[in-house]
Amino acid sequence: MIEIRTLRQEELRDSLNLSMYAFQYVLPEEEIVERLAEADPEQTWGFFIDGKLAAKLTIFDMTTWIYDKPFKMGGVAGVASLPEHRRQGMVSQLLSKALQVMKERGQTISYLHPFAVAFYRKFGWELSMTYKRYELQTSQLPRMQQAGGSIIRVTPSAAVLNPIYEAYAKQFNGPIERTQDWWDSRIFKKKGHVGVYLNAAGEPRGYLHYQIENYECTIHELVYLDQDSKSGLWKFISDHDSMFRKLTLQAPPDDDLPFELEDPRIKQEIGAYFSARIVDVEGFLNQLELRHACLPADTALSLHVRDEQAPWNHGTFELRLNGPEGTAVVTKTAEEPGSADGAAADELACDIRTLTVLLLGSKSAAELHRLGRLQGHGSAVELLQAALPRRACYLPDFF
């Protein structure tokens, strides 16, 4: 007998054993006990064969920031199946169930960290989040101007850091809202120290979470709200140059640190990170903040969306921008998507993966049109490009 359902409390250890086997790691018993005590069985969906767990995935209830607004997001993680049951469509059925569950919960978008990008593309998730990783020698550290404020070392505290983090996070599309539990279990478990930058008025404007060990400085997080706090934090790091030979740092994809260096020939990498997927096109678009002021009054576009895994997204949507800057009005007008090839000047067409990176700002409408991923008349592409502000897509966390 086959059954797809959420786990029961007594099945959590089976789920953790499946993860350890599939992802090839071993936890000490005391950590297993700790994780089992913290886990919520209703977050994990299992595929059971004759009462035994054969595959599973977890859906975290999260919030993400997109164009300054909070969106409910389903964080998919821990997708695993036993090798003897693979290639039988179990993960496909679990992902279909996950999409239904997330839509019912009002989670209009989903993120996951793919073990293989191509695998999850088959189910509508597209690579959307990247990051830069820098490696600097001490001789290459930035020599920024003296800032007007000061640095204080603090005991790690969400009450102190979270207001700075949220102001920083809202500059991007993709960061998640951090709860107290997230700070305690995910951020503060990393070794190291925390320094907070106070400007000349004594206001906290940035922080640094760092670790120096074996002559290497690891920056867990460098968060700043303006150039003054950025300069102050880098000055603080540079003052430690006698304690390390190498520094590593992860930064947003649009970070401009090399431009500010005397020697910009540092080691830098672009890392592919998280994939995203629009779960509910109509729900997401109706929440999305668009620019209306630069568009003609009562502008409307027809958007033909292809989504074979989520039938509620498969069809044609009318996107109407009929007022000052604010939310759009979106309605589904047909159950089957049309084609924008040779269509009217106000029609566009794409698949759900393309729509996701477009709406998150990973790629612009013009770029996607040039790549052949967004079909339609050039004038419609220009209207959509004008309505969607470009913003860096970045997720500084992991799950």
Side-chain angles (χ1 to χ4, degrees), residues 128 169 171-175 252-255 360-362 389-394:
S128 303
Q171 300 176 61
F172 305 98
N173 286 344
D254 65 341
D255 186 78
L360 280 178
S362 295
R390 189 70 192 273
R391 182 171 291 193
C393 198
Y394 180 53

Side-chain angles (χ1 to χ4, degrees), residues 12-28:
L12 283 172
R13 184 176 281 268
D14 292 336
S15 174
L16 188 54
N17 287 338
L18 173 52
S19 288
M20 289 191 290
Y21 189 84
F23 300 121
Q24 302 176 56
Y25 67 93
V26 177
L27 296 174

Side-chain angles (χ1 to χ4, degrees), residues 300-316:
L301 291 171
S302 287
L303 186 61
H304 308 299
V305 180
R306 302 182 296 277
D307 189 347
E308 303 299 335
Q309 289 76 30
W312 54 87
N313 291 334
H314 193 70
T316 298

Side-chain angles (χ1 to χ4, degrees), residues 210-213 215-219 237 244 246-248:
Y210 65 102
Q211 177 185 358
I212 301 177
E213 190 173 69
Y215 293 98
E216 181 172 341
C217 179
T218 302
I219 306 296
I237 296 169
F244 62 87
K246 182 176 72 174
L247 177 145
T248 56

Side-chain angles (χ1 to χ4, degrees), residues 50 103 139 153 189 197 255 266 284 306 309 367:
D50 296 331
K103 184 178 186 298
S139 60
R153 289 191 184 86
K189 279 200 170 181
Y197 179 80
D255 186 78
I266 61 173
F284 188 89
R306 302 182 296 277
Q309 289 76 30
E367 287 174 313

Side-chain angles (χ1 to χ4, degrees), residues 14-255:
D14 292 336
S15 174
L16 188 54
N17 287 338
L18 173 52
S19 288
M20 289 191 290
Y21 189 84
F23 300 121
Q24 302 176 56
Y25 67 93
V26 177
L27 296 174
E29 181 62 25
E30 57 270 21
E31 188 169 346
I32 290 176
V33 171
E34 181 181 340
R35 290 199 184 191
L36 293 178
E38 296 173 349
D40 179 359
E42 294 188 359
Q43 288 184 324
T44 298
W45 288 79
F47 191 107
F48 292 85
I49 299 176
D50 296 331
K52 294 185 178 180
L53 184 64
K56 56 95 180 185
L57 60 75
T58 297
I59 308 171
F60 292 116
D61 187 9
M62 310 178 88
T63 298
T64 184
W65 297 102
I66 299 173
Y67 294 114
D68 301 324
K69 294 181 67 175
F71 281 68
K72 293 185 70 176
M73 185 267 287
V76 177
V79 183
S81 60
L82 290 171
E84 59 267 32
H85 294 300
R86 285 178 187 160
R87 300 176 181 87
Q88 297 178 26
M90 292 184 300
V91 169
S92 175
Q93 292 181 60
L94 281 171
L95 289 171
S96 294
K97 183 65 177 180
L99 288 171
Q100 295 170 10
V101 169
M102 288 187 286
K103 184 178 186 298
E104 291 167 3
R105 292 177 179 174
Q107 296 165 331
T108 57
I109 189 166
S110 172
Y111 301 160
L112 61 78
H113 185 261
F115 78 92
V117 173
F119 176 82
Y120 286 102
R121 279 176 169 162
K122 295 184 294 184
F123 303 100
W125 276 265
E126 181 59 275
L127 181 67
S128 303
M129 316 284 182
T130 61
Y131 61 83
K132 286 184 179 179
R133 185 180 183 276
Y134 299 131
E135 182 178 306
L136 292 82
Q137 306 303 311
T138 51
S139 60
Q140 297 173 312
L141 291 172
R143 309 299 175 186
M144 296 191 178
Q145 294 181 352
Q146 178 69 43
S150 60
I151 298 280
I152 58 171
R153 289 191 184 86
V154 299
T155 301
S157 163
V160 173
L161 301 186
N162 196 61
I164 308 171
Y165 163 76
E166 284 209 351
Y168 173 78
K170 291 177 184 179
Q171 300 176 61
F172 305 98
N173 286 344
I176 61 170
E177 186 178 73
R178 292 177 179 174
T179 63
Q180 178 70 54
D181 178 67
W182 191 270
W183 280 101
D184 292 339
S185 63
R186 302 285 184 136
I187 309 301
F188 297 148
K189 279 200 170 181
K190 298 174 184 176
K191 292 184 191 177
H193 308 276
V194 173
V196 173
Y197 179 80
L198 305 178
N199 65 13
E203 301 165 330
R205 299 290 293 171
Y207 68 83
L208 174 71
H209 186 193
Y210 65 102
Q211 177 185 358
I212 301 177
E213 190 173 69
N214 298 323
Y215 293 98
E216 181 172 341
C217 179
T218 302
I219 306 296
H220 297 310
E221 201 161 34
L222 177 64
V223 171
Y224 49 85
L225 303 183
D226 49 40
Q227 188 64 26
D228 179 65
S229 54
K230 180 180 182 179
S231 296
L233 289 167
W234 272 113
K235 173 68 167 57
F236 179 76
I237 296 169
S238 297
D239 287 341
H240 289 73
D241 59 356
S242 64
M243 300 170 62
F244 62 87
R245 303 187 186 99
K246 182 176 72 174
L247 177 145
T248 56
L249 166 70
Q250 180 176 308
D254 65 341
D255 186 78

